[in-house]
Amino acid sequence: MTRIIADISVSLDGFVTGRDPGPDNGLGTGGEALHTWAFSDDPDDRRVLREGTARSGAVVLGRRLFDLVDGPDGWGDESGYGAGEVGKPAFFVVTSSPLSSVRLTDLDWTFVTTGLSDAVAAARERAEAASSASGHDLDVVLMGGGATIGSALDAGLVDVLSLHLAPVMLGAGTPLYTCGEPRTLAQRSVTSTTTATHLTYDVL
């Protein structure tokens, strides 16, 4: 069964970027510490990253995040989806206006201008088709940013919340979740390494 998984790194004080994120400073001041685990040699970190990439039948992201990953200082051979792990799922970008061209032409981009729910629905269809073709279940991964994941939680679109809790306090930045309705979660797994605590919750 295809699930909708929100997957994001977060600081101990609840931020998914540091202060003043922007086109030339995508993770904000100090925000690079959030993703140290993704480039770690720790076998548990590598396993978490590998399993997350392997389960991705389709990926949803917001326009601001797309502008960063497709920008001149964005993804490359060493820093693409999965930080070098094998896997190139279809990507769905929630945006008010599609682009006529992209830098990362080797990836499958779809721009959805009719809202997050439609993007998730289209991504689910693609993930289900990929599941049928591969013979095993693949999921839709919401990779961010924080506003996109918060909106998906508010809309009841998320089945699983996967957090990578980095041992850093940023003090300010982009919060993961601010003004939504209370949500009940069921903790399913915890994996601790020196660079992060990987937490998985079912969203009830």
Side-chain angles (χ1 to χ4, degrees), residues 67-98:
D67 287 343
L68 293 173
V69 303
D70 195 55
D73 297 320
W75 285 351
D77 292 339
E78 300 299 322
S79 59
Y81 185 72
E85 293 293 337
V86 174
K88 291 186 178 180
F91 292 88
F92 292 80
V93 181
V94 184
T95 179
S96 60
S97 57

Side-chain angles (χ1 to χ4, degrees), residues 34-193:
L34 296 171
H35 292 165
T36 298
W37 71 271
F39 302 94
S40 164
D41 291 328
D42 184 288
D44 285 328
D45 285 327
R46 301 311 303 172
R47 177 182 56 79
V48 168
L49 185 67
R50 183 174 58 253
E51 290 176 353
T53 303
R55 75 177 180 233
S56 303
V59 176
V60 176
L61 65 158
R63 175 60 183 272
R64 289 182 184 177
L65 181 54
F66 167 79
D67 287 343
L68 293 173
V69 303
D70 195 55
D73 297 320
W75 285 351
D77 292 339
E78 300 299 322
S79 59
Y81 185 72
E85 293 293 337
V86 174
K88 291 186 178 180
F91 292 88
F92 292 80
V93 181
V94 184
T95 179
S96 60
S97 57
L99 275 73
S100 58
S101 63
V102 298
R103 179 179 66 86
L104 298 169
T105 56
D106 60 326
L107 298 180
D108 181 357
W109 298 104
T110 299
F111 297 94
V112 181
T113 60
T114 52
L116 178 58
S117 294
D118 285 347
V120 170
R124 184 192 290 275
E125 287 185 9
R126 184 68 70 88
E128 289 174 345
S131 296
S132 296
S134 67
H136 60 272
D137 288 339
L138 296 172
D139 298 316
V140 174
V141 176
L142 306 182
M143 66 172 284
T148 298
I149 287 180
S151 296
L153 285 165
D154 281 344
L157 298 173
V158 177
D159 299 314
V160 176
L161 180 61
S162 177
L163 298 179
H164 311 286
L165 188 64
V168 60
M169 298 182 71
L170 296 174
T174 305
L176 173 61
Y177 197 60
T178 54
C179 57
E181 293 295 321
R183 291 285 173 188
T184 300
L185 308 176
Q187 184 169 290
R188 294 307 181 204
S189 68
V190 179
T191 301
S192 295
T193 71

